[in-house]
Amino acid sequence: MREWVTVPTAAGMRADAWLSEQLPEASRTQVRDLLAEGALLRNGRPCRKGERIVPAARYVLLHEPKPVALAPNAALPLNVIYTDDALIAVSKPAGMNCQPNAPTEQDTLANALLVQWPELSGIGDGPLTCGILHRIDRDTSGLVLAARTQQVYSAMRKQFSAHTIEKHYWALAEGNIHTPGRLEHWLAHNPRCPGRMIDASQWQNIKRPMRAETAFRPTQTVRIAGRVFTLLDVSIRTGVTHQIRAQLSLAGMPILGDRRYGGFLPAGFERHFLHAASIVFTHPKTGQACSLKAPLTPELEALLNAYGARKGTTLC
């Protein structure tokens, strides 16, 4: 059993958000379950998740969150790019989430990693993290890093937070783009359309906008169904949700196949053309610069080949 007397700065917070702060080791699902069970009491009565925190109130948690254990799934594809005693790098296929939203999910990258590295289940900032250091969208393919120890996880997360890790992506964006460019926005979750990011400067009363910077370099153009697209080498150091997709769309260059952000969807192509191609970081144990790359997936190569893209394009 745990007990707190709330401070004035917590006043007005939703109970689920406040409890998540008190239990950083718990997942959102665990917090939601605790509140649904009536395990959090405020001045002796059950507290609901949507309630607002009252200052100087006595909150009691009747029991700890139930343990969470993800199940390994050997049926999932796992393309390992690199591994050592500190890190694992894989190339994730499109159509797979990096991490589950609930312990019952069994079709994520985390479930695939646990087959070869069951010790990952205890690594990260939550029970569903499984050592995964950063996430890419479900329909984005390419490089994802995972840490093999908690110490390595913490060291690498510091590099991500300091924006010293550089990631390159391939993006096929609409338009005949001639010159390199840089995009800067303050992005935020759309309060009217969950799952979509917006330019916070165009809205009023947006809470917690996130600064996003995206640089791009055009490499070649292709014509698809009468439209011109440019293959971009995109680099980012920040890591905001949907960053590349949202910023290119805001700049009038939506990614091919990205229906959420206005991208054109050619017949027979069921994903967006965004691929995490390389990552450059400082190795947490050796201190040396480390650069890893993941080739385009077969379906992306096939699309480019079908429309006459030049061979041999390389990232900068």
Side-chain angles (χ1 to χ4, degrees):
M1 187 172 70
R2 301 197 205 184
E3 184 175 336
W4 304 271
V5 174
T6 48
V7 296
T9 54
M13 288 185 67
R14 281 176 55 103
D16 49 359
W18 175 83
L19 187 57
S20 290
E21 288 189 358
Q22 313 314 307
L23 303 174
E25 73 281 5
S27 69
R28 285 177 292 180
T29 299
Q30 288 175 301
V31 169
R32 185 171 61 245
D33 289 345
L34 286 169
L35 290 166
E37 295 165 7
L40 181 68
L41 304 182
R42 187 186 81 185
N43 294 334
R45 67 168 186 79
C47 183
R48 301 178 184 276
K49 69 176 182 179
E51 286 188 25
R52 302 293 173 174
I53 294 298
V54 176
R58 179 174 176 265
Y59 287 83
V60 175
L61 186 65
L62 298 177
H63 62 79
E64 296 297 310
K66 295 177 181 178
V68 170
L70 290 182
N73 187 346
L76 298 174
L78 187 62
N79 181 8
V80 179
I81 299 296
Y82 172 86
T83 185
D84 61 20
D85 63 350
L87 295 165
I88 304 159
V90 300
S91 184
K92 184 188 78 68
M96 176 188 285
N97 285 328
C98 286
Q99 295 167 295
N101 293 313
T104 53
E105 292 185 41
Q106 298 185 7
D107 58 356
T108 72
L109 178 60
N111 300 99
L113 287 169
L114 288 172
V115 176
Q116 293 188 40
W117 298 280
E119 68 274 14
L120 295 181
S121 62
I123 297 170
D125 55 8
L128 306 181
T129 303
C130 292
I132 294 174
L133 288 158
H134 60 114
R135 289 181 288 181
I136 57 177
D137 297 334
R138 177 182 177 86
D139 282 335
T140 300
S141 55
L143 271 173
V144 178
L145 292 179
R148 299 186 67 173
T149 69
Q150 187 63 40
Q151 184 178 11
V152 169
Y153 182 89
S154 298
M156 289 295 295
R157 284 305 308 164
K158 287 180 181 178
Q159 290 189 51
F160 278 102
S161 297
H163 307 309
T164 57
I165 292 179
E166 184 172 0
K167 295 172 284 184
H168 282 262
Y169 290 73
W170 285 124
L172 193 60
E174 187 156 6
N176 192 353
I177 304 164
H178 299 285
T179 58
R182 180 177 295 274
L183 303 172
E184 297 185 18
H185 294 91
W186 286 88
L187 299 178
H189 293 277
N190 190 332
R192 300 178 185 173
C193 183
R196 183 183 174 92
M197 302 300 286
I198 56 171
D199 180 358
S201 67
Q202 303 301 311
W203 290 60
Q204 293 183 341
N205 301 320
I206 292 294
K207 297 180 179 179
R208 299 181 181 178
M210 295 161 282
R211 181 171 168 270
E213 289 189 13
T214 295
F216 60 88
R217 178 179 66 90
T219 63
Q220 61 175 301
T221 59
V222 294
R223 186 174 291 274
I224 300 175
R227 299 169 179 249
V228 176
F229 292 85
T230 303
L231 185 63
L232 301 177
D233 168 8
V234 178
S235 63
I236 62 173
R237 291 181 183 269
T238 52
V240 178
T241 301
H242 297 178
Q243 174 174 328
I244 297 171
R245 298 166 59 191
Q247 288 194 278
L248 288 178
S249 178
L250 287 167
M253 304 178 289
I255 293 173
L256 178 115
D258 193 354
R259 286 169 286 191
R260 181 166 295 185
Y261 290 97
F264 171 69
L265 185 65
F269 192 69
E270 300 299 327
R271 56 164 294 189
H272 53 245
F273 198 118
L274 184 61
H275 178 79
S278 76
I279 189 167
V280 181
F281 58 95
T282 300
H283 195 281
K285 285 195 171 182
T286 68
Q288 300 296 311
C290 188
S291 178
L292 302 174
K293 295 183 178 182
L296 283 176
T297 57
E299 72 274 12
L300 297 184
E301 287 277 14
L303 181 83
L304 292 177
N305 292 339
Y307 292 99
R310 300 190 304 273
K311 300 287 186 179
T313 302
T314 58
L315 289 168
C316 61

